[in-house]
Amino acid sequence: MNPAGPLLAARGLHKTYGHTKALDGAEFSIRPGEVVAVMGPSGSGKSTLLHCLAGIVTPDAGSIDYQGRELSAMNDAERSALRRGEFGFIFQFGQLVPELTCVENVALPLRLNGARRRDAERTALEWMERVEVDDLASKRPGEVSGGQGQRVAVARSLVTGPRVLFADEPTGALDSLNGERVMQLLTDAARSTDAAVVLVTHEARVAAYSDREIVVRDGRCRDMEHAL
Amino acid sequence: MSIGHTLLGLLESGPRHGYDLKRAFDEKFGHDRPLHYGQVYSTMSRLLKNGLVEVDGIEAGGGPERKRYAITEAGVTDVARWLATPEKPEPYLQSTLFTKVVLALLTGRSAAELLDTQRSEHLRMMRVLTERKRHGDLADQLICDHALFHLEADLRWLELAAARLDTLAREVTA
């Protein structure tokens, strides 16, 4: 366990959609290099928590501190810059651009940050090698399997060297063998760069790749590390 | 499953005779294996000796089964400790976990917290196996996978139980 203080910490998060309380005083913290599984039943607020932590959704109340900076105090441009540079994302489906090749997909975040094409694709290929999909560089997403596509997405989520990787059911669409391989590669790659991983999952076998888990129920979090 | 803790938990709602305890146990937990009177008698003697229950009254002309038992403060603490301590993850835990969940609901404790604690204990074991699998050969991986699938099955049951707690609470307290 990393002894450093939290990299990202949320306190008293509230978020309501219509009459539904998605978050009701949720607390969360993660240290550099730590993999934390966010578990809980469907509709408990797991994804809302992830979206708030990543600055995609603004909570109605509460604070989110990222390395001493309050997310709600940032303007849209600052939050966008954070999401492009410091945060990485991986979802269950539909994250690769079908018209681009796999290496162009992986290089895309770097290109959006202003990197030259050749530099971006060289870095992209290095990451594809690490997650064992460099042989797919010139293929388009429609030509690769679900497991391969998800590994390409892992490479893309890490290509900018994010400090926090947000993974929302990253293996949800894969069979168990491919799912496990993705989790191995994802956690190995994240640990090698000391990135923290917020891993939303309902699957115990996926959560078993984490260092600890929190349980979200009715919009509140239970930190199981401190519960026992 | 700990019969002593289960009988203690049943006593939390109020003093009962040995016969009432057996009937309550059989009704809630003894579907396949009802308790023998001898088991109730020997268990209550042990609980009495350990100060976890006390005799609340004896009916006239009664043998040992006519004693009315009440739980002591030490007994309540003992039940609370048992419910809060996760079971060692191993196959075929369901009957013990089911008993704990029902008792938590009957005694007004949080069954959801109990299930969270158990999930956490299972995950701790799954992390150890997952780590072993990462560094093992194919034979190690398959052995770990077998254990992981069993633990996962337990966890699926836990999730299902957690999702049905409200309904179960209505049924067991009816």
Side-chain angles (χ1 to χ4, degrees):
Chain A
M1 198 67 63
N2 196 312
L7 178 68
L8 180 68
R11 282 182 201 287
L13 292 187
H14 288 262
K15 181 71 189 175
T16 302
Y17 293 109
H19 296 294
T20 308
K21 275 187 184 174
L23 295 178
D24 187 18
E27 311 268 327
F28 180 87
S29 79
I30 191 165
R31 293 178 282 257
E34 201 180 20
V35 181
V36 177
V38 179
M39 306 189 76
S42 292
S44 58
K46 300 188 297 285
S47 291
T48 305
L49 175 66
L50 181 137
H51 291 152
C52 285
L53 291 171
I56 297 169
V57 164
T58 307
D60 301 331
S63 67
I64 301 166
D65 181 291
Y66 171 69
Q67 291 195 313
R69 293 150 70 198
E70 174 56 46
L71 244 62
S72 63
M74 296 180 192
N75 60 33
D76 283 349
E78 287 171 324
R79 269 201 296 273
S80 286
L82 200 64
R83 287 199 298 270
R84 277 208 313 269
E86 308 267 307
F87 294 171
F89 296 89
I90 177 159
F91 301 106
Q92 188 172 345
F93 301 112
Q95 43 205 329
L96 299 177
V97 182
E99 292 79 11
L100 301 181
T101 63
C102 288
V103 72
E104 286 166 346
N105 264 288
V106 176
L108 191 59
L110 296 172
R111 297 279 287 143
L112 291 173
N113 282 349
R116 284 145 57 117
R117 184 191 180 107
R118 188 190 295 176
D119 295 340
E121 291 192 357
R122 194 179 55 234
T123 309
L125 259 181
E126 284 167 15
W127 275 101
M128 291 179 80
E129 234 172 88
R130 290 178 74 160
V131 295
E132 300 166 4
V133 284
D134 46 317
D135 54 330
L136 305 175
S138 58
K139 296 213 182 303
R140 292 185 201 283
E143 299 171 306
V144 305
S145 72
Q148 290 169 331
Q150 204 62 345
R151 286 196 231 170
V152 173
V154 169
R156 192 175 70 172
S157 69
L158 290 162
V159 75
T160 55
R163 306 306 311 133
V164 188
L165 180 62
F166 294 94
D168 194 352
E169 302 282 6
T171 63
L174 304 180
D175 62 51
S176 61
L177 206 56
N178 272 302
E180 296 223 8
R181 192 72 193 123
V182 164
M183 282 314 299
Q184 274 174 14
L185 293 166
L186 187 154
T187 49
D188 282 349
R191 287 201 168 100
S192 72
T193 60
D194 214 24
V197 182
V198 182
L199 171 67
V200 169
T201 183
H202 68 279
E203 289 181 80
R205 299 192 66 157
V206 173
Y209 284 89
S210 67
D211 298 311
R212 65 182 171 95
E213 81 278 9
I214 66 156
V215 178
V216 184
R217 184 170 291 116
D218 301 328
R220 284 186 292 273
C221 300
R222 190 164 184 230
D223 182 344
M224 297 313 296
E225 185 182 41
H226 300 114
L228 289 178
Chain B
M1 176 170 51
S2 165
I3 291 169
H5 285 116
T6 311
L7 294 179
L8 270 179
L10 288 172
L11 276 178
E12 273 205 50
S13 57
R16 291 175 195 246
H17 290 104
Y19 176 75
D20 286 340
L21 272 174
K22 172 189 155 46
R23 205 171 50 185
F25 182 99
D26 289 349
E27 190 185 301
K28 297 209 182 302
F29 311 113
H31 301 299
D32 306 326
R33 284 174 298 173
L35 278 185
H36 297 296
Y37 285 110
Q39 276 177 291
V40 179
Y41 174 66
S42 60
T43 306
M44 295 317 290
S45 298
R46 181 171 52 81
L47 296 176
L48 199 58
K49 201 174 86 187
N50 293 338
L52 303 175
V53 297
E54 59 195 10
V55 176
D56 187 56
I58 301 176
E59 282 187 13
E65 75 278 11
R66 305 298 291 172
K67 281 180 186 164
R68 199 167 66 160
Y69 297 97
I71 191 166
T72 62
E73 277 303 309
V76 173
T77 308
D78 203 48
V79 174
R81 192 185 307 126
W82 181 60
L83 290 178
T85 308
E87 298 294 319
K88 188 167 177 279
E90 56 189 24
Y92 313 117
L93 260 182
Q94 270 68 0
S95 70
T96 306
L97 290 182
F98 177 74
T99 302
K100 282 185 156 187
V101 167
V102 170
L103 273 182
L105 293 171
L106 280 173
T107 56
R109 294 180 173 93
S110 170
E113 281 189 17
L114 186 156
L115 291 175
D116 283 349
T117 305
Q118 189 63 52
R119 183 195 300 107
S120 198
E121 187 69 7
H122 268 64
L123 273 175
R124 201 177 57 78
M125 176 73 88
M126 289 179 79
R127 285 189 183 103
V128 171
L129 290 165
T130 301
E131 193 55 26
R132 195 180 300 164
K133 210 172 82 166
R134 283 171 91 133
H135 305 292
D137 58 19
L138 184 59
D140 284 335
Q141 287 174 20
L142 287 170
I143 288 165
C144 290
D145 271 330
H146 183 263
L148 280 165
F149 278 121
H150 276 280
L151 291 166
E152 191 182 26
D154 266 2
L155 279 173
R156 284 190 181 182
W157 180 85
L158 279 176
E159 300 303 343
L160 199 69
R164 291 175 172 171
L165 276 182
D166 290 345
T167 314
L168 185 63
R170 279 197 298 277
E171 283 187 14
V172 299
T173 54

